[in-house]
Amino acid sequence: MTRAAEDVVLRGVEKRFGDVTAVAAVDLEVRAGELLVLVGPSGCGKSTLLRLVAGLEEPTAGEVWIGGRAVNDEAPGDRDVAMVFQSYALYPHMTVARNLGFGLRVRGTGRDEVAERVGRAADVLGLGDLLDRRPGQLSGGQQQRVALGRAMVRDPGVFLFDEPLSNLDAGLRLRTRDEIAALHRRLGTTMIFVTHDQVEALSLGQRVAVMDRGRIQQVGTPREIYRRPANLFVAGFVGSPPINMLPLACTRHGRLAGGPFVFPGTSPHPAATLAVRPEDLTITVGSPPTPAHPHGTSAHTSPTPAHPPAYTGIPPDPSVIPPGFTPGAAPDPSSPPPPFTATVRRVESLGSEQRVHLDGPAGAAWVARTSPAHPATPGDTVQVTVAWGRAHLFGPDGVRIGTPPTPTVTGGHD
Amino acid sequence: MRESVSGTRGSFGRPRALATTARTTLLLLACLAMAAPFLWMAATSLMGQLEVFSSGGRLLPETPLWSNYPDALTAQPFARYFLNSLVFATAVVAGQVATATTAGYAFARLEFPGRDRIFMLFLATMMVPAVIVLIPRFLMIDALGWIDSYQGLVSTELVSVWGIFLMRQYFRTVPRELEDAARVDGAGPLRIFWSVALPLAKPAVATLALFAFIDAWKNFLWPLLVTRSMEMRVVEVGIAAFHSTYEINWPYQMAAGVVAVLPIALLFLFTQRYFVRGIQLEGIR
Amino acid sequence: MRGRPNPAALRAAATAATGIGLALILGVTAGTVNRVRDEAAGDVGRMAAALWELPGGGEAAVTAFLAERATIEAVRTDGARTGAGAHAYRTGELEPAAWIAVAPGGQGRTWPHLPATLALSGLLLMTAWAVARRRSPPSPRFPTIPALIASLLLAATAVAATGRTHRLLADLTTERATHGARAAEVALAHGADHGQARRAAGLPPAITPAPAATPAPSGTPTPSATPTPSTLTTPSQPVTPSDLLDALPGYEDTRSPAIPLTAAAAASSLATALLLFLLPLSTRPRTLRRTLTAWSFLTPAAVLLLLFTFGPLLFSLWISLHEWHLVDRVHPFTGLDNYLTLTLDGQWWSAILNTAVFTLHVPFAMAVALGLALLTRGSRRAVRWARLALFLPGITSVVAIAVVWKWLLDDGYGLVNRALEGVGIRSVPWLTSPDTALVTLMAISVWMVVGYQMVVFQAGLAAIPRDWYDAARVDGAGPLQRFRHITLPGLRHTLFFVLVTSVIGSFQVFGLVYVMTEGGPLGATDVAVYHIYREAWEFLRFGNAAAMSWVLFAVVFAATWLHFRFLERRWAHA
């Protein structure tokens, strides 16, 4: 009964509204049967992109292919897609049953078959008792199910979701998210899901496409997106609390430096940005046991970290020295990386974890995500160690260069 | 919560109660003044032909003379007048609803070049006094040989720019996502209009239909011009003709008047809210 | 650049569509002229045939009649001699229309030169414009300028063609009269009696006194049938051309080409505009489909408006430039004469003045309505019950209301005067004195409109936030100050809307006047629309009436404009 899933391909799709470019030359391939999440800040063009796939908007340029057909000139109803809207868009003057069956009736499906398919969808979604009600008499969650059911009944090749969870309260949102994931496993249909919530995106998507200013910034598995952000925007957008950043500049010797860090080797870039996830910082409470060694040699007895990094399961990025850097006097990779000194400003205790807000290197506001087992208090001076193997270096154009080499730490905190 | 309620109630002092009474009295007087002509019409309609001229000047008939009604209404073919008014008003309602909903939907939701300019052009005709188009319309209907026929009466009244405006404003409040959903469901423009937009615009359609009906029922000048025979007269023209025929037979005239006013009064009684909505939609733009 | 309208194609389409429209107009004109020319030829042919059949007639009479026209052979393919045509006619070989050869000047067909020249030069200009390259990028919006040029060209051609047709037909009528006189003369010279001479001239032989050529204005606007032929009173008098002109309907009368011409012009400009619309869209199928869909939704309303509003507006302007008497079939073009006459027409200006005075009831009505709205404020039940009583006058039959008031205000027996007498006040001639009649109508009008205005004000009042009043009260503002500083400014737009719509409405008052006073006494209540109504449907002077209605429009427009210019601006900054 279930139709084969269809793939969706966008080629150079562009959409302008007057002078405003909502979607700029997007190439995207959604594989058949895949659940792809489009995520980005509001106004980034993700909803427009979805509407272009649905046919509700016409591309200014480029082509949309669904299931191997170019559908630019096809009406939305002919594209074999179903869509769930943010406001659910249930027809207020029709009962739930008529809402569910509308798409079939429009296509001239026989009365009996409509009833049968509506009944089946209602069973799956537990809407059996509500069939004679009107949308106005339903709760938000029930309306959401009806909207989902209306899409299911059509048995389309592609499901489109336009922020369908944003009108639900937090608990319901989590549950519905699980249901949609379950539905995807059950039906095996291609699904494109739009959301502005990066947590939702990472938890739901098999692959995630991050959009900003009408362009797709990165497409990849949630893990790729999180661990290897393609550029500064993706790094900053994904993850909560947001990634810690530090601008770096070239020294006279051609080395990248910023705050207490001086990176070995000669940099091909005049400037760069260092980014470290909060869970990749390790904090040791107490003043520096020994003054920092100018070249980070092993003289100092680094205390064992108070706790392991939060994401210990993720292996460090293999590339240690990004291409283009000429290796200089690299620090001994076998020795533990040198810490730097920072002051605790504020501590958020969230129960399972604590977020320590720091006056980071060069005064940048950094956050560390640590275990609550070793509480820090505001005003403490702490030693911070960076898991350099999982840090990122972004070039002046914001594109990821790679993982930085372990730097030397000068002077620590003033 | 409870405290604040009792507090408000406590502030209702004597002066305020007095003000309320004064206000109610004033309002009642105003209503009476407004209704007096109608009451007088009803009273006169039951008096004898000479009784109305009696020197006493009574307010109520000595004995209600109900026979005035059948007598007056058969003195001229009022049944036919009513039928004509009904046919005329119904056709106008049907026409205006059909043209205003389709055009209003096009202006509100469909895209085509020049849409807003054409809409402004339509709106501009609301400024034009009806009398300008009266002469050419009459000549056109005459040239078509439609004088003294239903089609002559109705054809010029089938579109109302006010109605188009009303429907456009209303259709713009229908959520766009509903139509998007219908499009994804495979519905074409006509289907969306018929199955989604129009059912949601029912209140506005009701308002439009009501106003169209009343306006057609009240229309006097146009039916006066294009009807000639007694068989084609509408109530308004009929009463005017009746008035000039039975000039001093006031009870007959009042009986006819009561019969002309009553249907509209009843209609208004049951459809007040649509009226008020229409006027409010018109008043606050 | 997909989907951009192609400017060259656009101009070409405009030119082509205009060309088609022009051809249509010229075709209709030429068709009308040629049809009438055939008819005229037939008439002359009939005269010749009548001469042929005279006892003293025959070939000699026909030859005498047709002496000046040498080309009679031209009709005959076998090259027969003069007179053969007449013979052929008698024996049924030739239709009367075949006497076309005897038509004046021997012109078989005609072509409207002036409009054709105009059209061709305009078309040439458009073609040049279409071919010319423009550097600026084509605008994707509605091609206003080409549509405008095309419409103007079409309209100008239609006007020129109509004028020329009228002149040609008038010439033909005159020529027929000359021929008729000559035919009668020839007949008499060949020994025919007077009756026979008249028949030869195409006149009916009967000598009956006929009614006057111009029917007297009657109350009913019946377009009379073909004018009845007047006849000669003395049989011995010769037939003169003016007899024929009086007696027979002119060729112009057969059918005015104005209507088909206007229709053709309108249709072709519409087609042009449509083509100009659609052509640039044809490169984008979905846009084209969408546009067509939208127009299919819009068509019923647009067609009806075009036919019964926009069309009549232009037609009305056209009528106002003519001496247009309903029963006459000839409507001579008189330019601005109707308007010039109006400026000197004291009665018309007094009607305008009466209308203006009548309009002064609007502020009173608004004050009362605002008072009522304030009274009913805050109490839902009062509002609901008051509404029926207050609203009824505005929505029921105007005629019934007018009749009731006429009865209420009856001089001798009306309730109002009886009540006045009851309390010892002299009765007032409400509707029968020129001093009071208009004021009385104004008062009744106030009574009629307050209910409607009240509801609008109620809506306006409900839209003023309650917080403003609370804040003012906290600031220590009294009821009057609150009214002055919160209610009035808050109602600004509502007041303006009611004022403008009521003024426009009151300029068009008709029913009350028609039933209650018929414009009297002594023209004291003769308002503009009533005056126009009488001018058109009593005196049947449609041209004048149309001109009056345009003057009224100008007055209404000026009044509205003044409101916007002075009131809205001031109120907006109040």
Side-chain angles (χ1 to χ4, degrees):
Chain A
M1 188 65 223
T2 311
R3 225 173 308 166
E6 291 178 344
D7 62 337
V8 176
V9 179
L10 305 181
R11 287 209 188 120
V13 168
E14 190 173 304
K15 177 67 185 176
R16 284 193 303 266
F17 297 102
D19 294 336
V20 183
T21 304
V23 171
V26 162
D27 290 297
L28 180 66
E29 195 166 328
V30 185
R31 296 170 203 134
E34 178 181 41
L35 202 173
L36 180 117
V37 178
L38 270 174
V39 67
S42 63
C44 71
K46 57 191 188 300
S47 279
T48 308
L49 194 63
L50 196 72
R51 292 170 62 85
L52 285 165
V53 174
L56 294 171
E57 306 284 355
E58 281 174 65
T60 314
E63 286 177 337
V64 180
W65 293 67
I66 296 177
R69 323 187 301 281
V71 292
N72 272 33
D73 291 332
E74 280 185 20
D78 302 333
R79 293 190 176 192
D80 196 20
V81 299
M83 187 158 170
V84 178
F85 292 85
Q86 183 172 6
S87 68
Y88 316 137
L90 301 178
Y91 311 119
H93 57 290
M94 298 183 195
T95 61
V96 168
R98 291 186 68 80
N99 259 292
L100 292 176
F102 184 74
L104 295 176
R105 287 203 310 278
V106 165
R107 288 177 163 71
T109 312
R111 190 180 292 263
D112 296 337
E113 197 191 334
V114 171
E116 191 218 314
R117 284 167 74 169
V118 166
R120 211 178 324 140
D123 285 345
V124 171
L125 294 166
L127 292 169
D129 300 337
L130 307 174
L131 284 178
D132 292 329
R133 302 241 196 118
R134 305 240 165 160
Q137 299 165 306
L138 303 180
S139 70
Q142 289 168 331
Q143 291 186 21
Q144 219 280 338
R145 281 159 184 280
V146 177
L148 213 57
R150 189 170 61 183
M152 273 172 60
V153 163
R154 291 255 318 278
D155 195 14
V158 180
F159 272 89
L160 306 175
F161 295 89
D162 189 5
E163 308 214 18
L165 307 182
S166 58
N167 286 352
L168 299 176
D169 61 55
L172 207 51
R173 196 180 309 167
L174 284 180
R175 236 178 33 233
T176 317
R177 194 204 286 171
D178 289 346
E179 279 174 21
I180 289 175
L183 194 71
H184 178 243
R185 279 195 302 276
R186 234 179 86 109
L187 300 177
T189 320
T190 315
M191 290 185 176
I192 305 179
F193 189 104
V194 162
T195 178
H196 62 268
D197 181 345
Q198 44 103 9
V199 178
E200 202 166 283
L202 298 187
S203 76
L204 197 56
Q206 291 179 329
R207 281 199 306 154
V208 175
V210 184
M211 275 189 85
D212 184 44
R213 285 184 235 160
R215 288 176 193 281
I216 291 193
Q217 305 292 333
Q218 187 176 4
V219 185
T221 62
R223 182 161 155 170
E224 280 166 6
I225 296 282
Y226 190 84
R227 287 312 333 173
R228 296 197 55 161
N231 55 37
L232 262 179
F233 172 80
V234 176
F237 182 77
V238 175
S240 170
I243 202 161
N244 299 305
M245 294 195 192
L246 181 71
L248 306 174
C250 251
T251 62
R252 272 176 301 158
H253 311 293
R255 296 187 175 181
L256 279 176
F261 309 119
V262 177
F263 292 88
T266 314
S267 163
H269 306 284
T273 306
L274 170 73
V276 187
R277 293 257 174 231
E279 60 269 19
D280 294 335
L281 295 178
T282 316
I283 287 176
T284 317
V285 181
S287 50
T290 45
H293 291 251
H295 291 288
T297 36
S298 57
H300 111 101
T301 49
S302 170
T304 22
H307 56 88
Y311 282 72
T312 41
I314 297 172
D317 210 302
S319 66
V320 174
I321 297 167
F325 281 88
T326 40
D332 180 3
S334 63
S335 69
F340 66 94
T341 314
T343 314
V344 176
R345 270 191 158 174
R346 194 163 76 85
V347 178
E348 288 177 86
S349 279
L350 300 178
S352 63
E353 64 177 52
Q354 74 178 349
R355 293 177 183 176
V356 183
H357 295 252
L358 303 164
D359 268 335
W366 278 27
V367 181
R369 226 166 115 182
T370 63
S371 154
H374 304 270
T377 35
D380 282 356
T381 303
V382 292
Q383 298 302 308
V384 184
T385 316
V386 177
W388 292 105
R390 285 198 288 269
H392 311 283
L393 214 49
F394 296 96
D397 55 354
V399 176
R400 186 174 190 272
I401 303 166
T403 308
T406 306
T408 55
V409 178
T410 57
H413 202 252
D414 304 319
Chain B
M1 202 60 196
R2 182 162 295 214
E3 247 176 26
S4 76
V5 168
S6 67
T8 338
R9 197 169 286 165
S11 76
F12 268 85
R14 199 155 278 175
R16 190 164 291 196
L18 202 67
T20 313
T21 318
R23 182 203 257 198
T24 314
T25 320
L26 212 56
L27 201 59
L28 274 175
L29 280 176
C31 289
L32 199 67
M34 297 296 285
F38 293 107
L39 301 177
W40 182 235
M41 174 159 78
T44 308
S45 74
L46 296 172
M47 290 185 186
Q49 277 187 44
L50 295 176
E51 194 182 358
V52 296
F53 297 118
S54 68
S55 53
R58 44 175 65 256
L59 285 175
L60 288 174
E62 199 159 14
T63 48
L65 203 59
W66 292 105
S67 64
N68 278 342
Y69 281 86
D71 290 351
L73 296 185
T74 47
Q76 279 196 2
F78 269 99
R80 178 76 199 194
Y81 297 169
F82 268 96
L83 178 72
N84 291 339
S85 273
L86 207 63
V87 169
F88 175 47
T90 312
V92 168
V93 167
Q96 288 195 6
V97 167
T99 55
T101 48
T102 48
Y105 183 70
F107 283 129
R109 277 300 150 78
L110 301 176
E111 282 166 34
F112 55 98
R115 177 177 79 176
D116 294 340
R117 266 186 238 187
I118 294 171
F119 182 62
M120 289 314 290
L121 186 69
F122 277 25
L123 275 194
T125 62
M126 284 167 82
M127 276 274 299
V128 178
V131 70
I132 289 193
V133 290
L134 218 54
I135 290 168
R137 278 180 181 179
F138 174 80
L139 292 176
M140 287 162 71
I141 296 296
D142 185 35
L144 289 168
W146 285 358
I147 296 288
D148 220 24
S149 70
Y150 283 131
Q151 61 267 38
L153 208 52
V154 165
S155 56
T156 58
E157 313 294 307
L158 292 178
V159 61
S160 145
V161 172
W162 177 82
I164 294 175
F165 176 76
L166 180 85
M167 293 314 301
R168 171 184 180 260
Q169 297 305 86
Y170 202 87
F171 278 128
R172 279 159 73 103
T173 65
V174 172
R176 217 176 251 279
E177 277 202 342
L178 281 182
E179 294 181 20
D180 287 344
R183 283 172 69 191
V184 175
D185 271 345
L190 197 65
R191 182 75 186 230
I192 295 175
F193 170 70
W194 187 253
S195 298
V196 179
L198 201 56
L200 292 174
K202 265 184 201 156
V205 172
T207 302
L208 169 65
L210 208 58
F211 273 86
F213 189 88
I214 301 274
D215 281 351
W217 192 275
K218 278 175 67 180
N219 198 339
F220 174 57
L221 187 46
W222 182 243
L224 178 72
L225 296 180
V226 291
T227 59
R228 254 183 227 134
S229 63
M230 246 184 196
E231 286 70 43
M232 288 309 299
R233 275 182 196 156
V234 298
V235 174
E236 287 282 283
V237 180
I239 290 185
F242 193 72
H243 170 65
S244 50
T245 316
Y246 292 82
E247 195 139 13
I248 55 160
N249 191 340
W250 292 110
Y252 273 27
Q253 290 188 44
M254 293 302 118
V258 168
V259 172
V261 168
L262 215 54
I264 298 293
L266 288 177
L267 185 68
F268 178 71
L269 199 61
F270 293 114
T271 54
Q272 260 204 46
R273 62 199 176 102
Y274 291 110
F275 262 99
V276 174
R277 194 205 318 260
I279 292 174
Q280 289 171 349
L281 276 175
E282 184 183 34
I284 314 171
R285 300 192 225 206
Chain C
M1 278 306 241
R2 183 183 166 163
R4 282 283 170 135
N6 179 354
L10 196 121
R11 294 196 202 108
T15 313
T18 314
I20 292 169
L22 290 172
L24 210 62
I25 292 176
L26 296 180
V28 170
T29 312
T32 308
V33 171
N34 290 328
R35 186 169 44 74
V36 175
R37 202 176 275 276
D38 284 352
E39 207 177 302
D43 279 348
V44 175
R46 258 177 239 110
M47 288 174 193
L51 287 177
W52 177 275
E53 284 163 13
L54 279 176
E59 202 163 329
V62 174
T63 314
F65 176 52
L66 299 174
E68 297 147 36
R69 284 149 258 278
T71 55
I72 195 157
E73 297 98 319
V75 255
R76 300 300 311 261
T77 45
D78 57 356
R81 292 164 42 76
T82 306
H87 174 75
Y89 167 65
R90 202 181 56 136
T91 53
E93 276 174 39
L94 218 55
E95 287 296 305
W99 289 92
I100 190 131
V102 303
Q107 299 167 324
R109 300 275 122 181
T110 186
W111 185 251
H113 299 286
L114 174 70
T117 316
L118 186 75
L120 277 176
S121 51
L123 207 58
L124 272 174
L125 272 174
M126 281 196 74
T127 315
W129 167 74
V131 171
R133 281 187 49 179
R134 282 233 307 255
R135 231 168 269 153
S136 58
S139 150
R141 286 173 299 167
F142 177 64
T144 318
I145 294 180
L148 203 70
I149 293 174
S151 309
L152 278 178
L153 187 59
L154 287 166
T157 310
V159 168
T162 311
R164 168 162 167 90
T165 310
H166 271 298
R167 271 195 307 285
L168 273 174
L169 298 192
D171 288 352
L172 281 175
T173 310
T174 319
E175 273 172 27
R176 181 186 55 183
T178 323
H179 288 154
R182 172 137 182 85
E185 197 184 301
V186 169
L188 286 174
H190 282 77
D193 66 18
H194 196 74
Q196 288 167 326
R198 287 178 55 75
R199 198 185 300 141
L203 289 170
I207 303 168
T208 46
T214 46
S218 62
T220 49
T222 326
S224 71
T226 45
T228 43
S230 80
T231 42
L232 297 166
T233 39
T234 345
S236 59
Q237 274 176 352
V239 179
T240 65
S242 65
D243 292 335
L244 279 113
L245 279 180
D246 283 348
L248 293 176
Y251 287 123
E252 281 181 298
D253 300 358
T254 47
R255 198 174 303 148
S256 163
I259 291 169
L261 271 179
T262 315
S268 57
S269 3
L270 200 71
T272 315
L274 211 65
L275 250 166
L276 288 175
F277 252 167
L278 299 184
L279 204 85
L281 300 178
S282 58
T283 47
R284 317 182 64 178
R286 283 187 79 183
T287 317
L288 179 69
R289 206 185 312 149
R290 217 163 44 196
T291 306
L292 287 176
T293 306
W295 273 99
S296 66
F297 272 86
L298 206 55
T299 299
V303 166
L304 281 168
L305 271 179
L306 209 64
L307 276 180
F308 293 117
T309 300
F310 293 112
L313 271 175
L314 294 179
F315 190 19
S316 168
L317 205 58
W318 175 263
I319 293 171
S320 78
L321 300 177
H322 290 73
E323 188 187 323
W324 198 296
H325 202 282
L326 182 62
V327 290
D328 286 354
R329 295 204 151 196
V330 190
H331 314 295
F333 178 81
T334 55
L336 295 174
D337 278 4
N338 288 334
Y339 292 94
L340 293 175
T341 317
L342 274 191
T343 57
L344 302 173
D345 182 350
Q347 288 187 351
W348 164 245
W349 288 112
S350 94
I352 288 277
L353 186 68
N354 286 338
T355 313
V357 172
F358 179 81
T359 300
L360 293 179
H361 82 270
V362 171
F364 289 98
M366 284 173 67
V368 176
L370 185 55
L372 286 171
L374 289 170
L375 267 183
T376 53
R377 188 177 202 187
S379 162
R380 291 196 161 273
R381 235 181 325 160
V383 171
R384 201 157 301 162
W385 281 105
R387 239 176 231 160
L388 180 63
L390 297 171
F391 219 82
L392 206 50
I395 53 164
T396 48
S397 148
V398 177
V399 179
I401 281 171
V403 174
V404 179
W405 276 102
K406 206 172 168 186
W407 169 224
L408 271 166
L409 299 173
D410 190 79
D411 279 354
Y413 301 96
L415 188 64
V416 176
N417 276 341
R418 285 193 187 201
L420 288 180
E421 280 163 12
V423 295
I425 302 173
R426 209 155 45 83
S427 67
V428 177
W430 297 107
L431 293 168
T432 47
S433 156
D435 299 330
T436 50
L438 190 58
V439 178
T440 307
L441 288 189
M442 288 165 67
I444 296 171
S445 198
V446 169
W447 174 79
M448 281 174 69
V449 298
V450 285
Y452 161 79
Q453 293 185 352
M454 180 193 74
V455 175
V456 182
F457 286 140
Q458 282 172 342
L461 284 175
I464 302 175
R466 277 241 85 93
D467 294 354
W468 294 6
Y469 286 99
D470 293 342
R473 204 169 284 170
V474 170
D475 286 345
L480 271 181
Q481 282 170 309
R482 292 202 296 269
F483 178 75
R484 165 76 187 80
H485 294 290
I486 298 175
T487 310
L488 275 187
L491 277 183
R492 223 168 37 219
H493 295 292
T494 314
L495 285 169
F496 184 72
F497 167 77
V498 170
L499 184 69
V500 170
T501 50
S502 302
V503 166
I504 292 180
S506 85
F507 264 104
Q508 303 187 50
V509 60
F510 174 76
L512 274 186
V513 173
Y514 179 89
V515 176
M516 296 186 73
T517 62
E518 295 177 24
L522 296 176
T525 59
D526 186 21
V527 292
V529 173
Y530 187 73
H531 195 87
I532 293 170
Y533 165 78
R534 296 229 310 168
E535 188 74 15
W537 280 278
E538 270 181 35
F539 307 125
L540 305 181
R541 295 192 288 253
F542 279 65
N544 277 353
M548 284 175 182
S549 62
W550 278 94
V551 172
L552 178 68
F553 180 33
V555 172
V556 172
F557 190 84
T560 314
W561 183 80
L562 283 176
H563 279 117
F564 271 95
R565 175 81 177 68
F566 291 108
L567 279 182
E568 206 200 19
R569 190 175 293 178
R570 186 167 306 166
W571 288 1
H573 300 296

